[in-house]
Coordinates of all heavy atoms in Angstrom, one line a residue:
L88 N 132.8 75.5 120.1 CA 131.6 75.7 119.3 C 130.4 75.1 120.0 O 129.4 75.8 120.1 CB 131.7 75.0 117.9 CG 130.5 75.2 117.0 CD1 130.1 76.6 116.7 CD2 130.8 74.5 115.6
A89 N 130.6 74.0 120.7 CA 129.4 73.3 121.3 C 128.9 74.1 122.6 O 127.7 74.2 122.9 CB 129.8 71.9 121.8
Q90 N 129.8 74.8 123.3 CA 129.4 75.6 124.5 C 129.0 77.0 124.1 O 128.5 77.6 125.0 CB 130.5 75.5 125.5 CG 131.7 76.4 125.1 CD 132.8 76.3 126.2 OE1 132.9 75.6 127.1 NE2 133.8 77.2 126.0
H91 N 129.3 77.4 122.9 CA 129.0 78.8 122.6 C 127.5 79.2 122.7 O 126.7 78.5 122.1 CB 129.6 79.2 121.3 CG 129.6 80.7 121.1 ND1 128.6 81.3 120.4 CD2 130.6 81.6 121.3 CE1 128.9 82.6 120.3 NE2 130.1 82.8 120.9
C92 N 127.2 80.3 123.3 CA 125.8 80.9 123.3 C 125.9 82.3 123.8 O 127.0 82.8 124.2 CB 125.0 80.1 124.3 SG 125.5 80.1 126.0
E93 N 124.8 83.0 123.6 CA 124.8 84.5 123.8 C 125.1 84.7 125.4 O 125.7 85.7 125.7 CB 123.5 85.1 123.4 CG 123.5 86.6 123.3 CD 124.6 87.1 122.3 OE1 124.9 86.5 121.3 OE2 125.2 88.1 122.7
A94 N 124.6 83.8 126.2 CA 124.8 84.0 127.7 C 126.3 83.9 127.9 O 126.7 84.6 128.8 CB 124.0 82.9 128.4
L95 N 127.0 83.0 127.3 CA 128.4 82.9 127.5 C 129.2 84.2 127.1 O 130.1 84.6 127.8 CB 129.0 81.6 126.8 CG 130.5 81.5 126.9 CD1 130.9 81.2 128.4 CD2 131.0 80.3 126.0
V96 N 128.8 84.7 126.0 CA 129.3 85.9 125.5 C 129.2 87.1 126.5 O 130.1 87.8 126.9 CB 128.8 86.3 124.1 CG1 129.3 87.8 123.7 CG2 129.3 85.3 123.0
K97 N 127.9 87.2 127.0 CA 127.6 88.2 128.0 C 128.4 88.0 129.3 O 129.0 89.0 129.8 CB 126.1 88.1 128.3 CG 125.6 89.2 129.2 CD 124.2 89.2 129.4 CE 123.6 90.3 130.2 NZ 123.7 90.3 131.6
Q98 N 128.5 86.8 129.8 CA 129.3 86.4 131.0 C 130.7 86.8 130.8 O 131.4 87.4 131.7 CB 129.1 85.0 131.3 CG 129.9 84.5 132.6 CD 129.8 83.0 132.7 OE1 129.4 82.2 131.8 NE2 130.2 82.6 133.9
C99 N 131.3 86.4 129.6 CA 132.7 86.6 129.4 C 133.0 88.2 129.3 O 134.0 88.7 129.8 CB 133.2 85.9 128.2 SG 133.3 84.1 128.5
A100 N 132.1 88.9 128.6 CA 132.3 90.3 128.5 C 132.3 91.0 129.8 O 133.0 91.9 130.1 CB 131.2 91.0 127.5
E101 N 131.3 90.5 130.7 CA 131.3 91.1 132.1 C 132.6 90.8 132.9 O 133.1 91.7 133.6 CB 130.0 90.7 132.9 CG 128.8 91.2 132.2 CD 127.5 90.6 132.8 OE1 127.6 89.6 133.6 OE2 126.4 91.0 132.4
L102 N 133.0 89.6 132.7 CA 134.2 89.2 133.5 C 135.5 90.0 132.9 O 136.3 90.5 133.6 CB 134.5 87.7 133.3 CG 135.8 87.1 133.9 CD1 135.8 87.4 135.4 CD2 135.8 85.7 133.6
G103 N 135.5 90.1 131.6 CA 136.6 90.9 131.0 C 136.6 92.3 131.4 O 137.6 92.9 131.7
A104 N 135.4 92.9 131.6 CA 135.3 94.3 132.1 C 135.9 94.5 133.5 O 136.7 95.4 133.8 CB 133.9 94.9 132.0
D105 N 135.6 93.5 134.3 CA 136.1 93.5 135.7 C 137.6 93.3 135.7 O 138.3 94.0 136.5 CB 135.4 92.3 136.5 CG 134.0 92.5 136.8 OD1 133.4 93.7 136.7 OD2 133.3 91.6 137.1
I106 N 138.1 92.4 134.9 CA 139.5 92.2 134.8 C 140.2 93.5 134.4 O 141.3 93.9 134.8 CB 139.9 90.9 134.0 CG1 139.4 89.7 134.7 CG2 141.4 90.9 133.7 CD1 139.5 88.5 133.9
L107 N 139.7 94.1 133.3 CA 140.3 95.4 132.8 C 140.3 96.5 133.8 O 141.3 97.1 134.0 CB 139.5 95.9 131.6 CG 139.9 95.4 130.3 CD1 138.9 95.7 129.2 CD2 141.3 95.8 129.8

Side-chain angles (χ1 to χ4, degrees):
L88 179 57
Q90 72 179 8
H91 191 269
C92 63
E93 199 56 40
L95 177 62
V96 171
K97 184 177 188 276
Q98 177 187 16
C99 291
E101 290 170 358
L102 179 59
D105 290 343
I106 292 170
L107 272 170

